[in-house]
């Protein structure tokens, strides 16, 4: 049986990463992370069978609620450009390129509806299976599949509208997308 401290240490990074990826603001992500764990600790979490999925469900719901009552995600990203830190050993030109790329991906993701963004975040940031996403979001498996499919189609259209062709995002940029997203939350 885990203690509250052990539970927090086991899941706090995943919760923070999810919060940050959804709201793109470090302070808000920290607040949401605390809110999630307060909710978890006040509940009977010891009785939950699939604790990781349950915590991620609480996390995504907290983020969705936050996004509903806050100003637009694009404004937050634009106001917090200083959060996009890179490796200090990287040349200045590469740092600038990484910041621009991370900002572009954040803007692209912000154009997706929150429910679809939640599915894509759990699927591609946390490697959740569609069944786990279905359980975490309390939606049918078919809905999770359709939101993933619709989200990928929407993202493709967003990228095409931005002037990025298929071959550009399937090469180096496609492979590094996760790295940029990961770099943005360190």
């Amino acid at each position: 049986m885990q203690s509250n401290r052990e539970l927090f240490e086991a899941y706090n990074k995943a919760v923070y990463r999810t919060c940050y990826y959804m709201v793109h603001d470090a302070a808000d992500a920290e607040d949401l992370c605390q809110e999630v764990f307060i909710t978890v600790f006040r509940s009977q979490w010891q009785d939950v069978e699939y604790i990781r999925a349950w915590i991620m469900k609480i996390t995504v719901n907290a983020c969705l609620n936050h996004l509903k009552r806050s100003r637009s995600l694009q404004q937050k990203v634009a106001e917090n450009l200083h959060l996009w830190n890179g490796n200090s050993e990287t040349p200045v030109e590469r740092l600038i390129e990484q910041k621009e790329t991370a900002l572009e991906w954040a803007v692209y993701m912000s154009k997706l509806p929150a429910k679809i963004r939640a599915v894509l975040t759990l699927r591609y940031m946390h490697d959740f299976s569609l069944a786990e996403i279905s359980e975490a979001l309390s939606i049918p498996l078919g809905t999770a599949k359709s939101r993933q499919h619709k989200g990928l189609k929407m993202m493709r259209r967003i990228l095409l509208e931005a002037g990025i062709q298929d071959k550009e995002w399937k090469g180096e940029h496609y492979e590094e997308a996760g790295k940029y997203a990961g770099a943005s939350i360190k």
Side-chain angles (χ1 to χ4, degrees):
M1 182 65 67
Q2 288 182 319
S3 68
N4 285 348
R5 180 181 211 59
E6 291 168 337
L7 183 76
F8 177 78
E9 289 174 358
Y11 296 104
N12 73 330
K13 289 180 182 166
V15 168
Y16 176 80
R17 186 173 5 155
T18 301
C19 292
Y20 186 85
Y21 195 69
M22 289 191 70
V23 301
H24 295 285
D25 183 85
D28 287 345
E30 287 176 16
D31 291 344
L32 287 166
C33 186
Q34 289 178 3
E35 181 182 320
V36 166
F37 281 103
I38 288 171
T39 303
V40 168
F41 296 152
R42 287 184 177 167
S43 65
Q44 296 296 321
W45 63 267
Q46 295 87 348
D47 300 334
V48 176
E49 186 175 354
Y50 300 104
I51 193 81
R52 179 176 179 251
W54 180 69
I55 290 174
M56 285 301 133
K57 176 181 178 178
I58 293 171
T59 302
V60 169
N61 286 335
C63 291
L64 292 175
N65 290 337
H66 172 78
L67 289 172
K68 285 179 188 175
R69 63 182 182 255
S70 67
R71 63 181 190 251
S72 79
L73 182 60
Q74 288 178 340
Q75 280 181 312
K76 286 188 175 188
V77 171
E79 291 171 1
N80 294 298
L81 291 176
H82 64 280
L83 296 175
W84 304 97
N85 294 329
N87 186 347
S88 61
E89 299 174 29
T90 308
V92 174
E93 295 83 14
R94 185 69 175 151
L95 279 174
I96 293 170
E97 182 180 320
Q98 286 176 352
K99 285 182 181 181
E100 289 174 355
T101 303
L103 178 59
E104 287 172 13
W105 278 103
V107 170
Y108 298 148
M109 284 295 288
S110 72
K111 292 181 180 182
L112 297 174
K115 290 180 179 182
I116 290 175
R117 188 179 331 131
V119 170
L120 293 181
T121 299
L122 290 175
R123 181 76 176 123
Y124 298 106
M125 284 291 294
H126 296 288
D127 295 323
F128 271 40
S129 68
L130 288 169
E132 291 172 323
I133 293 170
S134 170
E135 184 178 328
L137 298 178
S138 297
I139 57 176
L141 180 61
T143 302
K145 289 179 182 179
S146 67
R147 286 183 185 171
Q148 177 190 7
H149 179 73
K150 186 175 182 178
L152 292 174
K153 284 178 69 175
M154 291 173 75
M155 184 58 79
R156 179 169 193 212
R157 187 176 50 229
I158 289 168
L159 292 172
L160 289 172
E161 287 172 1
I164 301 172
Q165 301 300 316
D166 280 352
K167 60 186 174 191
E168 291 181 47
W169 76 67
K170 288 187 179 173
E172 177 183 337
H173 297 290
Y174 181 77
E175 297 297 324
E176 291 185 6
K179 181 175 90 174
Y180 291 134
S184 69
I185 57 173
K186 287 184 180 175

